Amino acid sequence: MMMQTYPSEEQCKTLLQTLVRTNTCQPEGNEEALVDWIVAQLPQDVTQFKIQNASNRASLIVKLEGDEDDGGVAFVGHLDTVACSEADGWTDPPHGAVVKDHTLYGRGACDMKGGDAAMLLTLKYLLENKVTLKRPVYFCFTSDEEASGLGIQSVLSSGYLNAVDAMIVCEPSREQISNSEKGALWIHVAIDGVSAHASRPTLGINAVEYASLLSQRIKNMVTAKSVHPILGPATAAVTKIFGGSMTNIIPAHAEFEMDIRTNPDTSSKDLEGEIDEIIDQLLKEAGQVSTRSGQLKISKTVINNRPAIETSKDHPLIQTLKAIGAKVGINTGERGHFFYTDASQFIPQMHIPFAIAGPGDDALAHCVNESIDLRSVQRFTKLYINYIMQTNKKD
């Protein structure tokens, strides 16, 4: 049988326009609309599992069977996008999916409906060519990745992917193959001091000043950690801060939030322990200031915890993807991701190798006038097809 050709740029455009024109913005999501549309395109004999995550929110697993039921690879992409508004300054409507000179513009074009399109085009190619497989291939479309990760959590708990031995996350990777991603620890800190007249600051305990001191000590601790050869240094940034009521009152309460990005050599548990030690030391120092009345109080809450994860750059999964990538025009230099993906909630439990490889430039994700080069969607579709044909096609 003569194999069907790779998808054309026009096919990439038509499919991606359908995906982008379906509004799946957070916080509502509405991913079920796309899940139902995908299911409607599938032949009736294709195995698929729809997982309801909430009202109008769903995830989908499509399974192409192999001769063996164990093993196989899972391609993973999320269907939700971050929020958007025309008032943000979009040149064209954010769900218009306007195309100009090979580039499609719209919310989610890059992050990550371009990757979803490449997954669906790969699925279509395998079905139309009746490719027989040694082991299963899974195409997983998740909800809520841009928030709490309800979709990938439900996929994990469903058990449908318990037998897979590799994962390819189809997030935008700037025309490269990534083998690692930073973790994230987000903390909220509340500080209670004692108010006083600002002309007599020694009579109070300045919660804002302690917030500033504490956040800087945490940042110093984080940034002093070892530098990862691909991901670079760990980082810490204060992203929210509140405190004070009037200029002439020593503030008795302050709050701040920090976004800490970790590398694979630092566990969240150890990092939390170090933060607690810094807080304890600061409380001890405050207790030694006898001229102040009252007592300093500090509470810390973790609001997000995603571990950093990594696959060895020498692992066959990474090396095979790079070898195929070089043939289809994808950069084979070393790459890691500074943001977390659905893999952060899956890989630590399953302990399988993963790669992040998807069309688009992640620097354009979440931006006004978000866009993707349609030729990138083509290239990564070729990468996925060739990876499956080389590693999993039955002779």
Side-chain angles (χ1 to χ4, degrees):
M1 180 183 71
M2 182 177 294
M3 303 291 280
Q4 296 292 320
T5 58
Y6 295 119
S8 66
E9 183 177 336
E10 183 65 24
Q11 288 175 301
C12 293
K13 182 188 82 170
T14 300
L15 175 56
L16 187 51
Q17 283 182 322
T18 297
L19 301 181
V20 171
R21 287 170 179 168
T22 304
N23 184 343
T24 54
C25 283
Q26 289 281 3
E28 293 83 2
N30 194 38
E31 300 94 336
E32 188 172 19
L34 275 183
V35 165
D36 290 345
W37 180 85
I38 293 169
V39 169
Q41 314 307 306
L42 298 173
Q44 290 187 350
D45 59 346
V46 172
T47 303
Q48 49 91 7
F49 310 100
K50 177 180 175 180
I51 305 173
Q52 200 73 40
N53 299 134
S55 177
N56 299 318
R57 310 201 74 170
S59 300
L60 176 69
I61 302 172
V62 180
K63 178 183 180 183
L64 298 187
E65 307 284 352
D67 279 357
E68 305 169 20
D69 202 40
D70 287 340
V73 62
F75 292 85
V76 177
H78 64 85
L79 297 174
D80 62 317
T81 72
V82 294
C84 64
S85 168
E86 290 190 41
D88 295 334
W90 286 74
T91 302
D92 298 295
H95 293 106
V98 172
V99 176
K100 302 174 185 176
D101 297 327
H102 305 288
T103 301
L104 187 146
Y105 294 84
R107 176 55 82 223
C110 174
D111 184 14
M112 60 156 291
K113 290 180 176 178
D116 295 329
M119 290 168 60
L120 289 168
L121 290 165
T122 300
L123 173 60
K124 183 173 184 289
Y125 179 95
L126 297 173
L127 290 172
E128 289 183 348
N129 285 289
K130 296 181 171 56
V131 175
T132 55
L133 303 168
K134 291 183 286 186
R135 295 172 298 279
V137 176
Y138 299 84
F139 297 88
C140 307
F141 303 91
T142 64
S143 71
D144 196 45
E145 189 272 349
E146 297 289 3
S148 61
L150 287 173
I152 194 64
Q153 292 177 48
S154 69
V155 168
L156 179 63
S157 62
S158 74
Y160 292 133
L161 299 188
N162 281 357
V164 300
D165 53 23
M167 173 179 283
I168 297 174
V169 181
C170 304
E171 291 267 14
S173 58
R174 204 176 61 204
E175 296 291 310
Q176 293 177 281
I177 312 295
S178 180
N179 72 316
S180 55
E181 65 178 53
K182 283 191 171 185
L185 182 68
W186 297 352
I187 60 172
H188 175 273
V189 177
I191 299 174
D192 288 302
V194 176
S195 65
H197 196 289
S199 67
R200 304 285 301 277
T202 59
L203 299 181
I205 298 177
N206 193 320
V208 167
E209 289 184 355
Y210 273 105
S212 176
L213 182 59
L214 175 58
S215 63
Q216 190 59 53
R217 288 188 182 183
I218 293 172
K219 184 172 183 177
N220 291 344
M221 176 271 291
V222 170
T223 56
K225 294 189 176 297
S226 60
V227 176
H228 190 276
I230 298 176
L231 294 169
T235 61
V238 175
T239 52
K240 290 183 181 180
I241 189 163
F242 311 94
S245 57
M246 292 183 67
T247 307
N248 59 352
I249 298 177
I250 297 298
H253 183 78
E255 299 178 27
F256 68 88
E257 292 183 5
M258 291 192 80
D259 180 315
I260 302 170
R261 299 291 166 147
T262 60
N263 285 325
D265 61 354
T266 301
S267 75
S268 299
K269 182 179 180 180
D270 290 344
L271 187 60
E272 280 195 69
E274 292 181 79
I275 294 171
D276 289 340
E277 289 176 6
I278 292 172
I279 292 173
D280 289 343
Q281 177 60 31
L282 192 59
L283 289 170
K284 181 179 179 181
E285 293 172 12
Q288 294 172 348
V289 183
S290 58
T291 58
R292 293 180 178 176
S293 60
Q295 184 180 10
L296 179 69
K297 298 178 181 178
I298 302 175
S299 63
K300 181 205 78 193
T301 305
V302 174
I303 53 179
N304 188 21
N305 186 355
R306 300 289 187 99
I309 51 177
E310 182 176 31
T311 299
S312 169
K313 64 181 181 180
D314 299 319
H315 192 281
L317 171 67
I318 304 299
Q319 292 300 310
T320 302
L321 285 170
K322 286 190 174 184
I324 297 170
K327 296 177 182 179
V328 298
I330 293 171
N331 188 322
T332 58
E334 293 184 345
R335 175 83 205 277
H337 272 58
F338 296 141
F339 59 84
Y340 58 78
T341 70
D342 271 338
S344 69
Q345 294 186 302
F346 191 92
I347 299 302
Q349 281 70 43
M350 298 302 293
H351 306 290
I352 59 174
F354 78 101
I356 305 171
D361 183 350
D362 52 278
L364 300 176
H366 300 193
C367 293
V368 170
N369 295 326
E370 180 180 348
S371 66
I372 193 168
D373 189 324
L374 292 167
R375 294 166 295 185
S376 182
V377 179
Q378 280 186 289
R379 281 189 287 273
F380 277 87
T381 302
K382 291 179 183 179
L383 175 71
Y384 303 158
I385 290 171
N386 280 281
Y387 177 80
I388 294 167
M389 300 295 279
Q390 181 173 315
T391 64
N392 200 16
K393 182 178 180 296
K394 184 179 176 182
D395 295 331

